[in-house]
Structures are given as C-alpha cells and as structure tokens.
Amino acid sequence: MVAELKKDGTVELTIEREFSCTPKAIFEAWLQPEQLSQWWGPTDDFTVTKISVNAVVGGEYYLRYNDSAGTVKDLKGIYKIIDRYTKLVFTWVMGVPSGGIPEETLVTLDFMPTVKGTKLTLCHQKFSTPALRDRHNWGWNGTLDKLARYVSKAV
C-alpha cells in the first residue's frame, strides 16, 4: 500500500496486484454484473444481493451486499472513463451515514499487460481522513484477493 496526503488535504490509497490472466479478463470482471457479483466484497461471507451496471461513460453502477452478520452495504457511482482493457475510472459513494452526507471519492484502475498476465494498479482518491483510507485498504485488499481467486478459476 502506498498512502499519500494530497495538497487539497485529502488522502489517497494505491495498491498494485499481479494477476495471471489477460487485461481483458480482469477488465471484464469489473464491468460484467454476473462476474462482479461472484467476487465483490472484502471477505468470503459478503454476498451481493442487488447489482446494476451501465458500463458506459456517464453510466451508473449500484451494488448492495451484506455479510453473514446481516450488515448491509450500498455502493454506487458513475463511470468517468472506460478505456477497454487499459483504464477504468469511476466515482465511489458508499452508503449514507445516519443524518450525514455521503462522501464521494474516485477510483482509478490501470490494467497493464505483463509477462505473467496483468498488473492492476488501483488508486482510490479523495478520502477525507486517514482512518477512512485505512478501512478501504483492508476492504480493497480482501476484494482483490477474491478477484484473484475468481479469475484463476475462470481461466
């Protein structure tokens, strides 16, 4: 994990992962609802219960998922950039705290072909606090672990 405090006072998180499949396979796993629902969430006890993906620039995505304890999470955003098999950029709005205003952050995924398959660089920007960034670091690492297991079975 690389963490950086930006000039605007926000915090960002960068994670790099290597996958043993093509950039196309990884990229499609992010945009195809039937695939995304199979691996989304930080731990194996998270289950996607509702999903919609309009994979065009300006299109929206929405996921509702829960864990075995019954905790429900809602996530939505808008696709800003979709460069097939190389880059995906989308906003990220995670639920609304009771009486609060949702915080919109930005996620950039870069897909780079390598000798072994694909290097994915995930940059999640505009966190208001280091604590929020750290929670997402845990969540992203678990989610990327699940993605790795998913694509290894699909190849």
Side-chain angles (χ1 to χ4, degrees):
M1 169 187 82
V2 176
E4 186 176 340
L5 178 63
K6 306 307 281 183
K7 288 181 183 177
D8 65 1
T10 63
V11 183
E12 72 179 39
L13 166 69
T14 302
I15 300 171
E16 293 183 348
R17 286 290 183 95
E18 185 89 20
F19 293 90
S20 58
C21 60
T22 65
K24 179 180 179 181
I26 296 289
F27 190 92
E28 293 298 333
W30 284 90
L31 293 180
Q32 300 299 321
E34 62 279 359
Q35 292 188 54
L36 186 57
S37 65
Q38 296 298 308
W39 60 267
W40 188 259
T43 62
D44 288 336
D45 71 333
F46 275 78
T47 304
V48 174
T49 58
K50 193 173 189 181
I51 186 170
S52 65
V53 174
N54 182 11
V56 297
V57 173
E60 296 181 0
Y61 70 90
Y62 171 80
L63 290 104
R64 171 170 280 176
Y65 54 105
N66 57 359
D67 63 19
S68 58
T71 304
V72 176
K73 302 276 187 183
D74 288 311
L75 171 64
K76 66 179 181 174
I78 296 172
Y79 294 106
K80 299 294 188 180
I81 298 172
I82 300 176
D83 288 340
R84 289 279 175 214
Y85 319 131
T86 60
K87 183 181 284 278
L88 185 59
V89 179
F90 50 91
T91 61
W92 174 281
V93 180
M94 188 71 143
V96 180
S98 181
I101 298 172
E103 181 173 296
E104 182 177 285
T105 57
L106 187 70
V107 177
T108 300
L109 303 172
D110 287 303
F111 305 81
M112 175 74 68
T114 66
V115 173
K116 295 180 181 181
T118 304
K119 177 177 139 184
L120 173 69
T121 302
L122 180 151
C123 182
H124 197 154
Q125 301 170 283
K126 302 191 180 287
F127 291 114
S128 59
T129 67
L132 188 57
R133 182 229 23 237
D134 293 347
R135 282 197 306 270
H136 280 80
N137 181 50
W138 171 82
W140 277 124
N141 276 292
T143 298
L144 294 176
D145 289 346
K146 286 177 65 178
L147 173 59
R149 288 193 303 272
Y150 173 78
V151 296
S152 73
K153 292 177 189 172
V155 172

